Amino acid sequence: MRRIVRYAGRVDSVLDKACTWGLFISLGIMIFFTLLNIVLRWFSTTILWIEPFVRQLVFLSAFLGGALATGSRSHIAIDLIGRIMDTLGWKQVRSVLDKIIIVFCLIAVFWLAYAGYEFTLIELEYGKEEFLGIHSSVLVAIVPFGLLLIGFRFIYQLLASFVED
């Protein structure tokens, strides 16, 4: 089990670096193209694909940021019960509760990823070219991709929680 967690930890570390760099590059490209579009408006011109491209990068950035927040366990949480358990010294109960929460998060994330996959298939069949020759299904595929990233980070947390105990 420890070997699996160690391997998953390495993969998680690589994913963390990839998400960080992806977010950094995405933000840089968004800033560049947004500023370019503002400057071009001063000259009464524009490039039509910039705004939808930046919108898709914002969408991608949200999922990359979600994956980073999940990996660092800094995502939104209501932790009242956990704090009460820490105050009372119920470390074992808190550990079990954390595992149950991760399992429910995994179920929700993979259910949403499956729904995103189904939506991508529908978009593949009925979608159209959006901008720069990119089919809308490729853009919609950001949803299951991002959710699977988040899901893997939860899987690693769950596996690591058993080794930590």
Side-chain angles (χ1 to χ4, degrees), residues 53-123:
F53 179 63
V54 169
R55 275 195 302 271
Q56 293 302 316
L57 286 175
V58 168
F59 200 42
L60 177 64
S61 298
F63 282 108
L64 292 175
L68 286 172
T70 301
S72 65
R73 299 190 114 187
S74 60
H75 46 76
I76 297 172
I78 300 172
D79 201 21
L80 180 63
I81 295 173
R83 289 177 193 242
I84 292 170
M85 287 182 188
D86 287 343
T87 306
L88 295 174
W90 295 352
K91 189 173 182 176
Q92 291 294 91
V93 177
R94 169 72 189 257
S95 176
V96 171
L97 180 65
D98 286 345
K99 288 177 179 80
I100 291 170
I101 290 170
I102 291 173
V103 168
F104 277 110
C105 289
L106 273 170
I107 291 167
V109 164
F110 284 119
W111 179 64
L112 288 170
Y114 179 73
Y117 169 73
E118 291 288 321
F119 182 57
T120 302
L121 292 178
I122 292 169
E123 197 66 30

Side-chain angles (χ1 to χ4, degrees), residues 7-96:
Y7 176 73
R10 281 189 234 132
V11 173
D12 188 64
S13 177
V14 168
L15 270 180
D16 192 64
K17 288 179 179 142
C19 287
T20 301
W21 277 102
L23 189 59
F24 177 73
I25 291 168
S26 179
L27 287 172
I29 292 171
M30 281 190 292
I31 290 169
F32 172 77
F33 278 115
T34 301
L35 289 175
L36 176 66
N37 208 20
I38 290 170
V39 170
L40 287 175
R41 286 182 186 167
W42 291 343
F43 300 105
S44 299
T45 188
T46 188
I47 300 174
L48 294 177
W49 56 264
I50 287 180
E51 288 183 25
F53 179 63
V54 169
R55 275 195 302 271
Q56 293 302 316
L57 286 175
V58 168
F59 200 42
L60 177 64
S61 298
F63 282 108
L64 292 175
L68 286 172
T70 301
S72 65
R73 299 190 114 187
S74 60
H75 46 76
I76 297 172
I78 300 172
D79 201 21
L80 180 63
I81 295 173
R83 289 177 193 242
I84 292 170
M85 287 182 188
D86 287 343
T87 306
L88 295 174
W90 295 352
K91 189 173 182 176
Q92 291 294 91
V93 177
R94 169 72 189 257
S95 176
V96 171

Side-chain angles (χ1 to χ4, degrees), residues 129-143:
E129 264 188 29
E130 290 296 325
F131 59 91
L132 296 177
I134 300 173
H135 195 269
S136 59
S137 63
V138 174
L139 302 173
V140 169
I142 292 172
V143 175

